[in-house]
Amino acid sequence: MNLEELRSVAKENLKGFCRVCSFCDGKACRGEVPGMGGVGTGSSFIANIDALSNIKLNLRTIHNAKDPDICIELFGKKLSMPILAAPITGTSYNMGAKISEEDFIQMVISGSKEAGTIGMCGDGGNPVFYESGLKAIKEENGEGIAIIKPRENSEIIERAKKAEEIGAIAVGVDIDGAGLITMALMGQPVGPKTKQELKEIISKINIPFILKGIMTVDEAQMAVEVGAKAIVVSNHGGRILDYTPGVAEVLPNIAKKVKGKITIFADGGVRSGVDVLKYLALGADAVLVGRPVIIGAFGGGKEGVKFILEKIAKELKQAMILTGCNDIQSVDEKIIYKK
């Protein structure tokens, strides 16, 4: 398998829904929701890309970082890389349905495990979305993370308990999905949560809880206060609210306040290992990858997912050599160029 072949197959399988652009920046597909683009003008999707692009790195080659260790520990489990597959659903209305929901998430969870890391599954208006994710995680002996839409508390707790029962590593809520139109159209409204509602959910769950969709310092601090074990700094891929800043713009201030108190994931616009390194330097503990994983699955199944994740990991390692970082713990703001 090579990247050119994988992209060619993915382009055919995603025809009409994703152009598989040579560089995925959200400009060609702006406003295509459902589909693979960003909501409205597409500015939030594009902001993720631009914010990362604007960060420059200091090249350093007089050091002993010759074979960097890119392993991390997450919720007591050692991973081969600080890169996880983001929760993605909706193959039928976002990706053209050449691959079923069940097959897609199996590819993501299995391919991630084979790469030595973890895949996340998502939730949606169709019960098949979440059920397929749990089935895939169960088949991989619990090596996956289940993310649930911000439904009524009783429904979230019920779904979280199912994830617990199959041995999932963690569970979470993508609270940034509070206004998803697709959920409302399917008669399953979602909405924001109060601190008390979040405390109630977390008090009933016995595995680590993740809050996905944090974009401000105050909400990151609230996540710590309610007992979440991790946050995902994310604007939902630019697919829910137009004109948000890019994740790389807000991450540093969030990290300054909560780094060390809670695990920080960054999600949005990751296309390479260099992007991963930038997010780590800005304060993330690990990153989530979405659209490249879709290309991997639609271009090569679970082997394609593994190929994409390992490609990004290799790029990360090379970038760490060229910035003087021996391990993930040594990556910090010193590698970022500042005028």
Side-chain angles (χ1 to χ4, degrees), residues 242-254:
D242 213 354
Y243 300 108
T244 70
V247 168
E249 294 177 81
V250 303
L251 177 58
N253 285 336
I254 289 173

Side-chain angles (χ1 to χ4, degrees), residues 55-309:
I55 295 163
K56 309 303 177 187
L57 300 175
N58 290 317
L59 174 66
R60 289 190 172 97
T61 51
I62 304 176
H63 52 71
N64 67 347
K66 298 178 181 181
D67 185 24
D69 179 5
I70 65 169
C71 296
I72 65 166
E73 186 172 300
L74 178 67
F75 306 139
K77 180 175 176 59
K78 187 174 182 179
L79 305 185
S80 66
M81 62 184 80
I83 306 160
L84 289 78
I88 303 162
T89 58
T91 62
S92 57
Y93 52 80
N94 286 324
M95 305 169 219
K98 285 284 182 72
I99 297 175
S100 71
E101 198 74 34
E102 185 171 351
D103 287 345
F104 172 75
I105 196 59
Q106 187 275 331
M107 293 169 183
V108 172
I109 300 298
S110 297
S112 299
K113 182 182 177 182
E114 290 191 9
T117 186
I118 297 170
M120 295 185 175
C121 72
D123 185 19
N126 187 333
V128 170
F129 293 178
Y130 192 65
E131 290 168 5
S132 297
L134 292 188
K135 180 182 177 184
I137 292 173
K138 184 177 181 179
E139 288 176 356
E140 296 299 343
N141 299 313
E143 296 202 23
I145 294 172
I147 302 296
I148 304 162
K149 288 285 177 279
R151 305 166 176 274
E152 293 297 321
N153 272 23
S154 59
E155 294 184 36
I156 292 173
I157 293 166
E158 180 184 347
R159 284 169 170 79
K161 288 296 182 185
K162 289 181 179 179
E164 276 186 37
E165 288 166 8
I166 62 162
I169 291 167
V171 70
V173 169
D174 54 343
I175 199 164
D176 55 350
L180 281 173
I181 295 170
T182 51
M183 290 290 292
L185 290 175
M186 294 180 182
Q188 298 179 62
V190 289
K193 294 290 176 186
T194 65
K195 286 175 68 175
Q196 191 54 46
E197 285 174 316
L198 290 172
K199 285 180 179 179
E200 180 194 2
I201 294 167
I202 294 169
S203 72
K204 302 287 176 62
I205 297 171
N206 299 311
I207 55 177
F209 181 83
I210 301 168
L211 262 180
K212 179 178 180 290
I214 301 297
M215 286 288 286
T216 63
V217 171
D218 62 319
E219 292 207 334
Q221 292 174 311
M222 288 181 202
V224 174
E225 291 167 11
V226 299
K229 295 299 182 185
I231 57 171
V232 182
V233 183
S234 172
N235 62 8
H236 210 85
R239 295 171 57 77
I240 52 164
L241 178 65
D242 213 354
Y243 300 108
T244 70
V247 168
E249 294 177 81
V250 303
L251 177 58
N253 285 336
I254 289 173
K256 283 175 187 174
K257 289 291 184 181
V258 301
K259 181 84 169 179
K261 300 176 183 177
I262 196 167
T263 297
I264 302 172
F265 296 101
D267 167 51
V270 174
R271 303 291 180 262
S272 69
V274 173
D275 290 334
V276 174
L277 184 62
K278 289 178 179 181
Y279 272 145
L280 295 175
L282 294 172
D285 296 302
V287 305
L288 306 188
V289 179
R291 285 170 180 83
V293 167
I294 294 172
I295 302 305
F298 275 77
K302 72 174 181 179
E303 292 81 9
V305 172
K306 179 176 183 282
F307 177 90
I308 289 292
L309 291 170

